Amino acid sequence: MDWKAYSDSVAHNVVSTDSVINEIADSHYLIMNPDTFKLRSGKKITEQYVVAPQYIKVYRYDIDYEFKDNKIFLDLNIPASKANHIDSITPRLPDCGLYITPDIRRALSIFAGGVRLDDNTISKTNEGNVDELRKYIPVNYGHWGGYWWFTSFPMITSIKCANNLIVIYRRTTWCNGDEIWYIKENGQFLQEPEPINSWIE
């Protein structure tokens, strides 16, 4: 209840400073709710809440990118170090939404156990606590071990913006991810129909 009250307070005070970026983030998060998860995954789920990061980093580049005829990006890797400006946004969430922060993730990880204590030691997982958490939120053990994902997928991990391109970097499951591209055409950013550069851990 404390976590929900905190999240509601944050959501109530979200200020939109970039309408284009916020509209894109909204299109990925506001539609999310447990019912759509059931339809998307084809299986019954029990968690009550959608969980998303409170802050998403936005890297801004004052450049125009060229595209081949098939719109494949000539420079697929836009280094963060070359960004002209770095800021962040807080996505809006549906009523069943919770924001996760590093401190909240740390508290949940300690409660669940199975976390890395040092290079050679991982604490014992508390299966009872994990089962209790799964009544409320998504809980997935990290692919490399010693950490947890307590977020709903797909999850935006970062956003990179050029003058004519916006790239949404997503984690689509606990071990997969992709990129969603929005290319500027006739003054508007239009989403490419298929994800780009999908990957698996």
Side-chain angles (χ1 to χ4, degrees), residues 12 34 62-63 66 85 99 108 111 144 153 155 169 189 199:
H12 181 72
D62 187 19
I63 47 179
E66 298 179 7
H85 181 68
Y99 291 113
L108 293 172
F111 184 71
W144 305 110
F153 299 115
M155 175 187 72
Y169 293 85
F189 283 97
W199 53 266

Side-chain angles (χ1 to χ4, degrees), residues 100-120:
I100 195 163
T101 66
D103 286 343
I104 293 172
R105 180 181 292 108
R106 190 176 303 111
L108 293 172
S109 297
I110 292 171
F111 184 71
V115 295
R116 188 168 298 282
L117 303 176
D118 55 44
D119 290 343
N120 301 311

Side-chain angles (χ1 to χ4, degrees), residues 45-94:
I45 63 165
T46 58
E47 59 260 25
Q48 300 177 21
Y49 296 99
V50 171
V51 183
Q54 182 173 333
Y55 299 107
I56 299 170
K57 277 195 173 181
V58 181
Y59 301 86
R60 301 183 186 274
Y61 305 81
D62 187 19
I63 47 179
D64 290 280
Y65 279 95
E66 298 179 7
F67 302 89
K68 295 180 181 179
D69 291 340
N70 60 358
K71 293 186 177 179
I72 296 299
F73 196 26
L74 289 181
D75 181 4
L76 293 174
N77 182 23
I78 318 173
S81 61
K82 300 295 184 181
N84 297 94
H85 181 68
I86 302 173
D87 57 19
S88 65
I89 63 166
T90 296
R92 292 193 298 155
L93 294 178

